[in-house]
Amino acid sequence: MIKSSPVTYAVVKDFEVSSCAGENAEALWKSCLEKQTHIGEDGFGNLINKHYQKKGDPKSPLIHCIQNILNNQGVKPEDSSIGVILATTTGYTATWEHLLLDYLGDDETTETSFNLKEVFSKEPLGYLLEEVKEALSIKGPSAVISTACSASTHSIGLAQQWIKLKKVQKCLVITVELLCLLTKEGFNSFNLLDKTSCKPFDKSRTGINLSEAVGCIYIEGQESIKENEIQIAGFGATTDIHQMTTPDPEGKGTALSMQMAISSANLESQDIDLIHTHGTASYFNDLAESMAIKTIWSKENHPPFISTKGVHGHTLGSSGLLESCILFKAMENGIIPPTTGFNDFDEELGVKPLSTSIEKDINCVLKNTLGFGGANASLVFKKGS
Amino acid sequence: MNNEPIYIYAAGVSNSERALKLKSSDRSLRKASFEMILGYDCLKSISSEINTLKEELKPTEISFVCGSSHGSLYATKDFLSGFAKIKRARPFLFQNSLHNSITGFLCQKFELKGPSLTLSLGEQTGENCIDTAMDLLNSSFARACVLLAADGLVEEFKETLQSYVKGFDLKEGAGALILSKEESIGNLSPICSISLSSIQAEEVKTRSPYYDSDCIESIAHLIEEKKNTLVRTAPNKTKTTVNLTYL
């Protein structure tokens, strides 16, 4: 008789995130419940983290975030069964872009030539991961994923695959995004930035708030799942081939990504208790996601959906991880937080997000993200019963 | 871990000369970064195999794994040069500056609608793409993976960068592979099986030609020459051995 190998669950054992809404996930969660925005008067959200002392340098806050989780869990990082996946779009960009800007704007001098070495050592995204691994003596498998705003969603999905394959027994998914000239001026050139706090799914939405985050989710493989433990149950991903910076307005790609995540979790669409959308408050993002929700469910009968970007802004590649942390808090507390910034129903979208918090037993949730380059990624988290 | 063999169904390469020629002849590439053109040329060389995958498999069963250590550095350079002069950002140079832009551009060009991943792991970017594709195949997340790794070497920085490294010539280029565990896909048959293993080495051997993600291009050349083994040691002393077994 062939003995089948036991199912391995990818269980979320710990998580932490710093953002403009505070040092930790608890502060972020509290702000979500209180509908308190942390977007500054310039329309950006700046990282609050006591270890973030050198502007633009992601290393220290990231290492401290990981170290805290490893200490809390009593995990030795040098154990080769621990994998690490970094999700980032910008990495060290804020530290080297000005050096390159000076170099390209001026005549080359000995000093700028020296600085160019600094630029090219830090420009590859892999450099940051090498630094983290060295600082914490992490020896296991590693990867850096940079699929724009879906990066950490893809990273959590890949971590689930690694656990399922028993490539690793434990996995750290880490992320950092810091504001830099490239992203601030770049998004501004598309007229995508809202100078006030953003209004996801609102009729008068005018754009996004860029912001900063650093975070870590610690996942372990288990052969059984205990009550209230949260597992990464499903992962889906697709690519829109519409335009580089706008999703397919019919939302076909993101709908398919969500459906993949639901079916890979062996669930039906009606099993989903809550959708945390990407909800950036850009015209096309919210349109595409609304269309996708109507495609999978219906205009009248869909699970409650929210966006929390009105609180913490859009943290680009970190958004999937940061917003997953909000979902873990929601599942732990049995409360769906409201959509901060939403006021007026948009008939064109035909669906509206939850605007006040509700108490509800939440067992299965869907996290959705979309990214430049058409990168759609979705996750399903399920609570053990 | 699943021990069934993983097969290579196609391999392709590109280089600066080919990409430059394409850039000057194909107007649809006028807004593409040089790294995108390297990737486009590379995938074009295996486009008939990509088309067969699209005919035989569902779109979601085909994953695209794209690696680049430096991303579209040409575009970032142009973005910052332009910004230094006119203090205003140009939208397409910003979008092209993101690492994921090469992936997005190639998915559009080759109509790849399945999962796409952009990876960047310094000098091990190529190896990491292969390893990740193998994971996606072993976990049945994908039935076939199109892999591409590309890195450019910006002319203005070439001399300075070369002065930092000794013993090998910096280059630019791209390589592509199609991997699958299927024993055949439509009328396609596998060329060889591939296995990959990594250990910590004691010393870093000199390599040439060199760019961060050159492992995939090296495998494509290995296939061209019907050779079996590639050993590559990254500057962080990770020694990777790639073994090919021809069918």
Side-chain angles (χ1 to χ4, degrees):
Chain A
M1 200 172 104
I2 298 168
K3 205 174 167 184
S4 62
S5 62
V7 176
T8 306
Y9 298 94
V11 181
V12 177
K13 303 299 280 188
D14 206 348
F15 58 92
E16 192 52 280
V17 66
S18 295
S19 65
C20 62
E23 287 264 357
N24 52 41
E26 189 57 37
L28 173 66
W29 171 243
K30 200 166 163 246
S31 294
C32 288
L33 292 180
E34 292 171 355
K35 294 181 100 170
Q36 188 187 349
T37 183
H38 291 270
I39 300 303
E41 288 177 1
D42 55 0
F44 297 106
N46 296 302
L47 181 66
I48 298 168
N49 184 300
K50 66 181 175 215
H51 300 290
Y52 183 43
Q53 287 165 353
K54 196 174 162 195
K55 193 79 181 156
D57 190 342
K59 186 179 163 187
S60 180
L62 187 57
I63 286 173
H64 278 93
C65 182
I66 303 163
Q67 188 69 67
N68 283 344
I69 284 193
L70 293 171
N71 291 345
N72 289 346
Q73 294 295 315
V75 174
K76 290 190 174 70
E78 61 271 24
D79 177 350
S80 63
S81 69
I82 302 177
V84 58
I85 304 174
L86 168 66
T88 189
T89 298
T90 52
Y92 263 111
T93 305
T95 64
W96 58 257
E97 64 185 357
H98 289 283
L99 301 174
L100 196 53
L101 197 64
D102 289 347
Y103 176 79
L104 293 164
D106 299 330
D107 291 334
E108 193 176 344
T109 65
T110 311
E111 195 186 349
T112 52
S113 176
F114 171 77
N115 286 340
L116 206 56
K117 188 172 183 178
E118 167 105 353
V119 170
F120 290 107
S121 62
K122 290 189 171 179
E123 188 269 337
L125 298 173
Y127 178 78
L128 177 58
L129 185 68
E130 280 294 321
E131 283 205 311
V132 168
K133 286 181 72 176
E134 198 180 315
L136 297 171
S137 302
I138 296 172
K139 307 273 188 236
S142 58
V144 180
I145 295 187
S146 190
T147 39
C149 306
S150 294
S152 53
T153 314
H154 277 112
S155 300
I156 297 168
L158 185 64
Q160 184 216 22
Q161 306 294 309
W162 282 9
I163 297 273
K164 266 171 64 180
L165 286 167
K166 297 186 169 56
K167 178 174 180 148
V168 295
Q169 171 61 29
K170 300 155 187 169
C171 196
L172 294 158
V173 179
I174 61 175
T175 187
V176 66
E177 294 286 9
L178 299 174
L179 290 169
C180 58
L181 179 142
L182 186 80
T183 51
K184 284 166 100 170
E185 292 298 334
F187 278 98
N188 191 39
S189 72
F190 282 106
N191 293 319
L192 271 174
L193 299 180
D194 192 335
K195 296 281 190 295
T196 61
S197 173
C198 70
K199 305 170 197 70
F201 298 98
D202 192 279
K203 194 172 184 170
S204 63
R205 67 189 184 279
T206 51
I208 70 171
N209 302 123
L210 286 181
S211 61
E212 302 179 311
V214 56
C216 176
I217 294 179
Y218 172 64
I219 303 153
E220 275 188 13
Q222 290 181 187
E223 290 184 3
S224 62
I225 190 130
K226 295 179 196 137
E227 193 178 349
N228 294 328
E229 277 188 330
I230 296 168
Q231 62 152 315
I232 306 159
F235 170 44
T238 60
T239 309
D240 275 358
I241 55 167
H242 177 67
Q243 278 179 17
M244 289 292 276
T245 54
T246 22
D248 168 14
E250 291 181 35
K252 285 180 193 160
T254 189
L256 191 55
S257 168
M258 288 194 246
Q259 282 167 323
M260 273 177 81
I262 294 166
S263 59
S264 73
N266 294 317
L267 296 171
E268 301 290 333
S269 56
Q270 61 267 26
D271 296 322
I272 299 297
D273 297 315
L274 168 65
I275 310 162
H276 194 304
T277 62
H278 196 45
T280 61
S282 81
Y283 174 80
F284 283 109
N285 177 89
D286 293 3
L287 179 64
E289 280 192 295
S290 299
M291 293 297 283
I293 288 168
K294 289 186 286 186
T295 303
I296 302 171
W297 292 275
S298 70
K299 193 172 170 180
E300 297 79 20
N301 192 15
H302 57 78
F305 71 92
I306 57 168
S307 163
T308 52
K309 285 192 169 69
V311 172
H312 50 72
H314 189 356
T315 58
L316 302 180
S318 298
S319 62
L321 189 147
L322 179 146
E323 292 160 27
S324 292
C325 292
I326 295 170
L327 283 174
F328 303 152
K329 285 285 186 188
M331 293 169 93
E332 277 174 14
N333 291 287
I335 303 172
I336 302 179
T339 301
T340 301
F342 172 79
N343 288 307
D344 296 325
F345 175 61
D346 184 348
E347 288 91 358
E348 189 188 11
L349 303 184
V351 287
K352 62 177 175 181
L354 200 68
S355 56
T356 52
S357 60
I358 55 170
E359 288 188 26
K360 185 180 191 290
D361 194 20
I362 310 164
N363 293 307
C364 299
V365 297
L366 178 69
K367 174 72 208 113
N368 195 48
T369 48
L370 295 84
F372 272 17
N376 304 308
S378 314
L379 295 164
V380 168
F381 299 108
K382 190 178 170 193
K383 198 163 74 176
S385 52
Chain B
M1 301 271 289
N2 193 329
N3 286 324
E4 290 164 12
I6 290 178
Y7 301 112
I8 297 180
Y9 271 82
V13 296
S14 181
N15 57 38
S16 316
E17 295 73 34
R18 278 171 49 170
L20 276 170
K21 203 172 160 190
L22 195 59
K23 186 179 167 67
S24 60
S25 62
D26 187 340
R27 273 192 55 78
S28 75
L29 300 173
R30 68 191 185 283
K31 286 195 173 179
S33 71
F34 195 66
E35 294 85 349
M36 288 172 175
I37 299 170
L38 280 167
Y40 176 68
D41 180 47
C42 203
L43 289 192
K44 235 174 66 151
S45 69
I46 57 166
S47 60
S48 71
E49 288 89 347
I50 292 174
N51 287 336
T52 306
L53 296 186
K54 283 162 35 187
E55 282 160 22
E56 299 294 327
L57 305 176
K58 292 181 196 161
T60 51
E61 292 175 333
I62 309 165
S63 284
F64 181 50
V65 178
C66 180
S68 181
S69 177
H70 295 281
S72 281
L73 193 53
Y74 275 96
T76 309
K77 186 264 300 177
D78 289 342
F79 176 92
L80 291 171
S81 306
F83 193 81
K85 287 179 191 117
I86 59 170
K87 302 289 172 220
R88 210 174 57 236
R90 295 174 70 189
F92 86 92
L93 289 176
F94 164 60
Q95 76 187 36
N96 284 2
S97 289
L98 302 176
H99 268 60
N100 198 48
S101 64
I102 307 170
T103 312
F105 175 80
L106 295 173
C107 282
Q108 275 187 31
K109 284 282 182 192
F110 292 89
E111 297 187 335
L112 296 167
K113 300 179 188 175
S116 60
L117 278 180
T118 300
L119 301 173
S120 184
L121 197 63
E123 295 91 349
Q124 289 168 270
T125 298
E127 291 90 325
N128 196 235
C129 287
I130 299 168
D131 201 34
T132 303
M134 287 175 160
D135 291 340
L136 298 180
L137 295 169
N138 281 328
S139 68
S140 303
F141 188 76
R143 283 181 67 194
C145 281
V146 179
L147 279 75
L148 176 98
D151 267 302
L153 178 61
V154 178
E155 194 58 40
E156 287 95 318
F157 308 146
K158 196 173 174 179
E159 201 179 320
T160 314
L161 284 172
Q162 186 66 64
S163 71
Y164 303 147
V165 295
K166 300 276 177 273
F168 54 86
D169 296 329
L170 289 173
K171 289 192 75 175
E172 60 189 352
L177 296 173
I178 293 177
L179 301 188
S180 176
K181 298 182 85 164
E182 306 288 321
E183 295 194 343
S184 66
I185 303 171
N187 59 5
L188 293 181
S189 302
I191 302 166
C192 56
S193 66
I194 177 171
S195 66
L196 185 129
S197 61
S198 293
I199 55 162
Q200 278 302 108
E202 283 180 6
E203 58 169 343
V204 180
K205 292 199 176 153
T206 304
R207 289 163 295 145
S208 179
Y210 177 79
Y211 57 93
D212 280 1
S213 58
D214 66 5
C215 179
I216 292 182
E217 187 190 335
S218 301
I219 293 171
H221 289 306
L222 209 64
I223 292 169
E224 212 170 53
E225 294 159 16
K226 282 270 178 189
K227 290 184 177 167
N228 298 87
T229 308
L230 172 75
V231 180
R232 196 178 178 282
T233 313
N236 70 359
K237 295 183 182 172
T238 303
K239 182 180 171 183
T240 303
T241 305
V242 178
N243 278 309
L244 307 180
T245 307
Y246 294 91
L247 302 169

